[in-house]
Amino acid sequence: MREKPAGDIPASLAEALRAAKHVAVLTGAGVSAESGLPTFRDPMTGLWAKYRPEDLATPEAFERDPRLVWEWYEWRRGLVAGARPNPGHLALAEMERRVPRLSLLTQNVDGLHQRAGSRNVVELHGNITRSKCFDREHPAESWPETGDVPPRCPRCGSPLRPDVVWFGEALPASALAAAWDAAERCDLFFSIGTSGMVQPAASLSRQALSRGATVAIINPDVSNFISRSQVLIQGPSGRVLPALLEKAWPESGTIHVE
Ligand code: BV8
């Protein structure tokens, strides 16, 4: 296991980034932690303290109590609206501008990568700021305020839900195909801010490794990534990623990601 404290970026990784033809990056909730958004590992607080995300983020939970699930997402949408991209998001957008090709595969549903300027973003689990109806998946950008909670689909009247992938639901086929393709073709794969617990996203780094890519893990907690074949960098992505860019492109001076 090659564990590196934050800020101590292996020169070999910086060189691999400079030389990379196709970089794939898998991000998880940890990348948005420094934007103030709770991760799934964080205990839920306040009104939601007695619930576990995996118990609310399911079609069964919505069918059982649509109001509760809709209100949980409304609370989260409020947090997302008040959040801003952090230096980790901005560094990934800068990285995309510096390498020939970068595929950003995110498990996050907060849209902060796009707001940071990343362009080639694959949303594996959807996006919390979009809504659709439960029965027919009609996209809904606006709806009449009738007092219904959840509101009703303007086209078919079925209850609206967030446009995210719940546990037990299939990922969007095009997103999953793009993610597998990136994992197979990339020469450098980063897994950043994810506990690697949720499938099928968690299998992408193994796929990259099996195809001979260099795999680097960036996480303050690298304990469950014991592996001889991965580069482990222990630290918060908001600090490690800007340091990595500065090490890879020192000639560019301080890369401003504030
Ligand atoms: C599927 C959207 C099949 C919703 C999410 C039984 C039945 C069905 C399926 C299953 C089953 N058993 C298992 C499964 C598979 C299941 C699964 O993996 N379950 C887990 C719990 C075992 N997967 C699924 O159900 C998937 N679908 O399998 O479909 C299928 C096929 C055909 C037809 C029908 C079905 C769907 C999974 C997607 C679920 N939706 N999100 C919402 O957001 O509300 S998942 C959600 O949780 C997130 O998107 C994310 O992916 C996941 C949490 O993971 P992380 O992002 O890693 O976050 P986490 O909190 O875990 O970790 C944070 C990390 O950050 C930590 O490591 C921490 O150390 C680090 N960190 C903290 N601070 C920082 C940091 N890192 C860097 N910097 C910092 N500052």
Side-chain angles (χ1 to χ4, degrees):
M1 181 178 84
R2 295 154 57 188
E3 191 166 312
K4 292 284 172 193
D8 178 2
I9 309 285
S12 57
L13 181 61
E15 281 147 31
L17 177 55
R18 274 182 86 98
K21 300 273 180 301
H22 183 179
V23 178
V25 182
L26 174 69
T27 62
V31 168
S32 296
E34 290 159 89
S35 296
L37 296 182
T39 72
F40 281 69
R41 295 305 113 207
D42 293 333
M44 293 244 270
T45 56
L47 275 179
W48 308 102
K50 58 179 182 286
Y51 299 99
R52 293 188 322 147
E54 45 272 37
D55 296 335
L56 292 176
T58 69
E60 294 77 17
F62 186 80
E63 290 188 288
R64 197 172 43 247
D65 192 340
R67 169 186 284 269
L68 176 76
V69 174
W70 178 264
E71 287 177 342
W72 181 52
Y73 280 92
E74 282 290 278
W75 173 71
R76 288 175 61 193
R77 265 193 273 266
L79 294 180
V80 167
R84 290 178 50 237
N86 67 56
H89 294 108
L90 296 167
L92 287 171
E94 178 63 28
M95 187 187 288
E96 182 179 35
R97 291 186 284 267
R98 290 176 177 272
V99 297
R101 185 175 176 195
L102 189 146
S103 303
L104 182 43
L105 318 171
T106 190
Q107 299 174 92
N108 298 339
V109 296
D110 54 37
L112 286 179
H113 286 304
Q114 294 92 322
R115 285 171 53 190
S118 289
R119 299 160 63 93
N120 184 17
V121 180
V122 176
E123 292 182 320
L124 294 169
H125 295 160
N127 188 308
I128 199 170
T129 62
R130 296 192 301 263
S131 299
K132 63 185 180 183
C133 72
F134 186 75
D135 292 355
R136 312 273 294 277
E137 298 207 316
H138 293 139
E141 294 200 355
S142 63
W143 45 84
E145 283 307 329
T146 59
D148 287 316
V149 179
R152 295 286 163 168
C153 173
R155 288 176 57 185
C156 71
S158 88
L160 295 185
R161 55 163 285 180
D163 186 15
V164 298
V165 179
W166 278 332
F167 289 101
E169 293 186 322
L171 276 61
S174 58
L176 194 51
W180 282 120
D181 185 61
E184 286 177 2
R185 293 170 185 270
C186 69
D187 40 6
L188 178 55
F189 188 101
F190 287 98
S191 173
I192 308 173
T194 178
S195 59
M197 312 276 278
V198 174
Q199 295 296 352
S203 299
L204 292 167
S205 58
R206 247 191 312 280
Q207 183 67 7
L209 208 54
S210 72
R211 304 295 288 245
T214 298
V215 174
I217 309 283
I218 299 174
N219 196 312
D221 174 6
V222 289
S223 54
N224 57 350
F225 293 103
I226 307 293
S227 152
R228 281 182 302 284
S229 49
Q230 294 164 332
V231 180
L232 304 181
I233 302 178
Q234 183 174 8
S237 46
R239 210 168 69 204
V240 169
L241 284 167
L244 172 61
L245 262 64
E246 291 204 18
K247 187 133 191 168
W249 290 283
E251 67 280 7
S252 320
T254 307
I255 294 178
H256 291 287
V257 286
E258 288 306 328

